[in-house]
């Protein structure tokens, strides 16, 4: 790794909720550092990194984003990355603008936007916005849209991802979690509180094929526990055949979250980062999109399903899982869904990854 000509990137992140923002920012920071770049990750709440990335990463320095940021003795970096409209502190922007001008260097200010399969991502990717006033006057913002087409900024993907997947030992990894794999169907559950959760659990419990549900820590565990409590009270014999078993997982590092997706036959994921990881896992998956009160998430979900070339059963399942449709939950059609995901993954592997593309701006 050659760091002689490396740049210093300042990535700014505000943790809103559900850890999606910090998850994406950490993967970006680690991806840049793996290419020999130096990264300062400014985060207003670093607590999630304690379990998400307990060992840190070489080349990545985590800084607590205080208000204001002391800049007097701070060596300014080369590239600013403002993630998800977090609004970098004005005193930092002013110091950056002054530093780049004093050194006669190119300034690069990147606005990293949310992932979407909608058409605006391709139309807006790469647009420039000159800053005409304020502390950043004279700078130019570069709008960077992740996406699924060649005309967008691509998806986060590590250079060694396929190699790591090829080496993965499912049985050994499960044993590390105290799970003795007996050949049952494995399903991961990383979700908010999907309206069809109870119907899914009923369906799995009545299926003659044994299923083990690997439930992630946090909201998924709370949702499952609440449903089971109600079900045991109203219908104690609902899982009499023990066709459905449960394994409640601890908070997983990002690497182990990848391992979870690789280990399972079906993955239920939520938000942005886990959607991308499920696609790279190459296993059938169902996405719970982040709820928006004006139902804007409906069109965002359909845009992704269109891009995926989702079969009718996969589309219907997503609509019910996300509350778009009030119909009954369709049957699991894993063999059919596998063909869809395999084709989509192969297509995405043809595109340049996000880190490769964002480095072209430096």
């Amino acid at each position: 790794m050659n760091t002689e000509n490396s740049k210093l990137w300042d990535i700014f992140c505000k943790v809103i909720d559900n850890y999606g923002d910090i998850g994406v920012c950490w993967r970006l920071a680690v991806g840049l550092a793996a290419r020999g770049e130096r990264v300062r990750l400014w985060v207003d709440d670093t607590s999630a990194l304690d379990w998400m990335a307990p060992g840190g990463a070489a080349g990545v320095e985590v800084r607590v984003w205080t208000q204001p940021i002391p800049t007097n003795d701070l060596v300014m970096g080369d590239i600013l990355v403002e993630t998800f409209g977090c609004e970098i502190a004005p005193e930092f922007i002013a110091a950056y603008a002054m530093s780049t001008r004093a050194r006669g260097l190119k300034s690069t200010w990147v606005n990293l936007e949310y992932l979407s399969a909608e058409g605006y991502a391709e139309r807006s990717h790469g647009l420039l916005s000159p800053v005409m006033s304020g502390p950043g006057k004279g700078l130019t913002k570069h709008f960077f849209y992740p996406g699924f087409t060649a005309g967008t900024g691509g998806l986060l993907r590590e250079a060694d991802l396929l190699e790591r997947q090829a080496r993965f030992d499912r049985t050994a990894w499960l044993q590390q979690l105290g799970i003795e794999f007996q050949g049952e169907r494995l399903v991961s559950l990383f979700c908010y509180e999907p309206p069809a959760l109870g119907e899914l659990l009923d369906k799995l419990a009545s299926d003659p094929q044994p299923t083990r549900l690997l439930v992630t820590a946090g909201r998924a565990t709370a949702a499952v526990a609440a449903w089971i409590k109600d079900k045991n009270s109203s219908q104690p014999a609902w899982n009499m055949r023990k066709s459905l078993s449960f394994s409640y997982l601890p908070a997983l590092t990002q690497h182990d979250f990848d391992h979870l997706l690789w280990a399972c036959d079906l993955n239920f994921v939520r938000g942005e980062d886990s959607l991308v990881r499920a696609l790279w896992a190459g296993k059938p998956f169902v996405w719970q999109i982040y709820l928006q009160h004006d139902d804007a998430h409906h069109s965002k979900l359909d845009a992704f399903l269109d891009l995926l070339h989702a079969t009718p059963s996969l589309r219907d399942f997503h609509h019910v899982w996300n509350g778009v449709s009030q119909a009954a939950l369709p049957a699991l059609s894993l063999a059919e869904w596998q063909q869809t995901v395999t084709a989509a993954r192969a297509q995405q592997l043809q595109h340049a990854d996000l880190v490769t593309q964002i480095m072209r701006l430096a």
Side-chain angles (χ1 to χ4, degrees):
M1 185 188 308
N2 181 15
T3 59
E4 183 179 345
N5 297 315
S6 66
K7 300 292 181 65
L8 175 57
W9 298 65
D10 283 296
I11 302 175
F12 284 81
C13 173
K14 283 188 177 178
V15 179
I16 306 302
D17 59 3
N18 304 317
Y19 313 117
D21 294 341
I22 184 63
V24 170
C25 290
W26 181 254
R27 289 194 193 272
L28 172 60
V30 173
L32 287 166
R35 311 285 181 94
E37 300 292 271
R38 294 168 294 133
V39 181
R40 283 189 302 222
L41 178 59
W42 300 84
V43 187
D44 63 336
D45 180 0
T46 63
S47 58
L49 294 177
D50 292 341
W51 51 265
M52 188 180 293
V60 179
E61 177 188 0
V62 178
R63 293 278 188 114
V64 177
W65 184 352
T66 59
Q67 298 287 353
I69 297 175
T71 59
N72 290 340
D73 299 320
L74 186 67
V75 176
M76 299 308 297
D78 302 295
I79 301 101
L80 293 181
V81 181
E82 184 175 22
T83 65
F84 314 123
C86 66
E87 297 187 359
I88 300 174
E91 68 276 5
F92 196 97
I93 295 172
Y96 173 75
M98 184 181 300
S99 172
T100 52
R101 282 195 295 265
R103 293 180 291 168
L105 299 178
K106 170 190 172 184
S107 62
T108 305
W109 181 353
V110 182
N111 268 36
L112 178 65
E113 300 291 342
Y114 286 104
L115 173 67
S116 178
E118 293 174 287
Y120 72 80
E122 189 169 274
R123 292 193 301 270
S124 303
H125 176 64
L127 293 181
L128 303 179
S129 177
V131 180
M132 308 303 292
S133 61
K137 182 178 179 180
L139 301 179
T140 300
K141 292 185 180 184
H142 300 250
F143 286 92
F144 192 99
Y145 281 78
F148 303 93
T149 64
T152 65
L155 304 174
L156 285 166
R157 184 180 78 244
E158 302 79 32
D160 65 345
L161 176 66
L162 300 184
E163 179 186 347
R164 288 191 293 115
Q165 280 185 280
R167 295 198 313 263
F168 177 65
D169 185 330
R170 171 165 72 169
T171 301
W173 183 77
L174 291 168
Q175 285 178 341
Q176 293 175 12
L177 293 172
I179 299 172
E180 294 298 327
F181 179 53
Q182 303 295 325
E184 67 271 32
R185 177 172 54 193
L186 298 179
V187 177
S188 74
L189 184 66
F190 180 51
C191 64
Y192 306 116
E193 295 79 25
L197 176 61
E199 192 176 354
L200 172 69
L201 298 184
D202 268 338
K203 187 182 293 288
L204 295 176
S206 62
D207 194 319
Q209 180 180 1
T211 298
R212 178 179 296 276
L213 193 67
L214 280 68
V215 187
T216 57
R219 291 174 68 170
T221 287
V224 169
W227 185 87
I228 290 176
K229 181 180 179 180
D230 289 345
K231 193 71 170 180
N232 285 344
S233 175
S234 63
Q235 192 179 343
W238 70 277
N239 194 23
M240 181 179 296
R241 293 186 300 177
K242 303 297 181 183
S243 187
L244 177 60
S245 56
F246 300 86
S247 293
Y248 295 94
L249 305 178
L252 299 175
T253 66
Q254 284 194 331
H255 274 308
D256 272 327
F257 185 75
D258 288 345
H259 295 158
L260 171 66
L261 301 181
W262 301 348
C264 289
D265 304 297
L266 171 64
N267 293 306
F268 287 86
V269 294
R270 74 182 202 203
E272 177 176 328
D273 182 58
S274 64
L275 169 64
V276 175
R277 306 318 291 188
L279 182 58
W280 294 141
K283 302 294 187 68
F285 66 86
V286 176
W287 179 34
Q288 186 178 14
I289 193 169
Y290 190 77
L291 181 66
Q292 294 176 276
H293 295 299
D294 57 359
D295 289 340
H297 58 292
H298 291 186
S299 58
K300 184 174 182 178
L301 174 64
D302 279 333
F304 175 71
L305 293 173
D306 290 344
L307 180 138
L308 200 65
H309 299 296
T311 63
S313 68
L314 184 57
R315 184 180 295 271
D316 291 346
F317 201 105
H318 272 87
H319 282 172
V320 177
W321 188 248
N322 283 279
V324 178
S325 167
Q326 304 305 311
L329 199 64
L332 300 175
S333 303
L334 298 193
E336 175 188 296
W337 298 355
Q338 180 66 69
Q339 293 178 3
T340 299
V341 174
T342 298
R345 180 177 182 268
Q347 177 64 36
Q348 293 305 313
L349 285 171
Q350 303 304 309
H351 301 318
D353 67 275
L354 189 151
V355 172
T356 295
Q357 296 201 54
I358 205 169
M359 286 182 66
R360 293 171 182 165
L361 299 177

